[in-house]
Amino acid sequence: MVIYRRWLGAIVSFILVVLLFIVLKPWTNAHGPNIVMKGEINLLLFVIPGFVASCFSVSGRIFYPFLGTLCAVLISTLIHLCYGTELRSGLQMFAYGTSPLFWSVSGAFLYWFLTLAWQKKQKRSLGAERYR
């Protein structure tokens, strides 16, 4: 049963990243061959799939969201190449592809750190009650 929950985290991450990529539509922001890549605040939304996928993973809370996001970035790049305008260079496509990967794994780390802090707080409160 545990192995299904691990892959569930990867599948949830994959689906959420692809849906978020389609909703954000990065290929519509291109305005000519000399575009300049500015900082896109929308990339911070990719924290959400990593956070949610880490909730669904029992073990491998970082690896399986990473794996799902990596597969989703590859699929999203293919979607971009098939349906988008090819105005970005290969280096810009690589940078835009690794940004969701970074932010998704950051969301998974955020969930992991919050659960560790919550567990430590619970242990501390149990220890204090023991000596009262």
Side-chain angles (χ1 to χ4, degrees), residues 39-107:
E40 295 182 17
I41 196 76
N42 295 339
L43 289 174
L44 290 176
L45 292 174
F46 284 102
V47 170
I48 297 168
F51 190 87
V52 172
S54 188
C55 292
F56 284 108
S57 296
V58 172
S59 63
R61 292 194 187 272
I62 306 300
F63 178 70
Y64 287 101
F66 169 77
L67 189 65
T69 304
L70 182 65
C71 294
V73 164
L74 294 174
I75 296 297
S76 300
T77 304
L78 287 175
I79 291 171
H80 182 254
L81 289 175
C82 291
Y83 297 109
T85 57
E86 186 54 43
L87 296 176
R88 294 183 177 176
S89 69
L91 186 60
Q92 288 174 332
M93 288 285 292
F94 176 75
Y96 192 85
T98 54
S99 293
L101 190 62
F102 171 77
W103 288 113
S104 181
V105 171
S106 295

Side-chain angles (χ1 to χ4, degrees), residues 3 15 23 33 38-39 49 53 66 77 85 91 96-97 99 106 112 114 122 128-129:
I3 194 165
I15 291 171
V23 168
K38 299 177 186 172
F66 169 77
T77 304
T85 57
L91 186 60
Y96 192 85
S99 293
S106 295
W112 184 49
L114 289 175
Q122 293 297 328
E129 289 176 5

Side-chain angles (χ1 to χ4, degrees), residues 8-52:
L8 181 65
I11 292 168
V12 166
S13 176
F14 176 82
I15 291 171
L16 288 177
V17 169
V18 168
L19 287 176
L20 195 56
F21 183 83
I22 290 171
V23 168
L24 293 178
K25 294 183 233 173
W27 58 83
T28 59
N29 295 333
H31 298 295
N34 296 325
I35 60 171
V36 176
M37 294 292 287
K38 299 177 186 172
E40 295 182 17
I41 196 76
N42 295 339
L43 289 174
L44 290 176
L45 292 174
F46 284 102
V47 170
I48 297 168
F51 190 87
V52 172

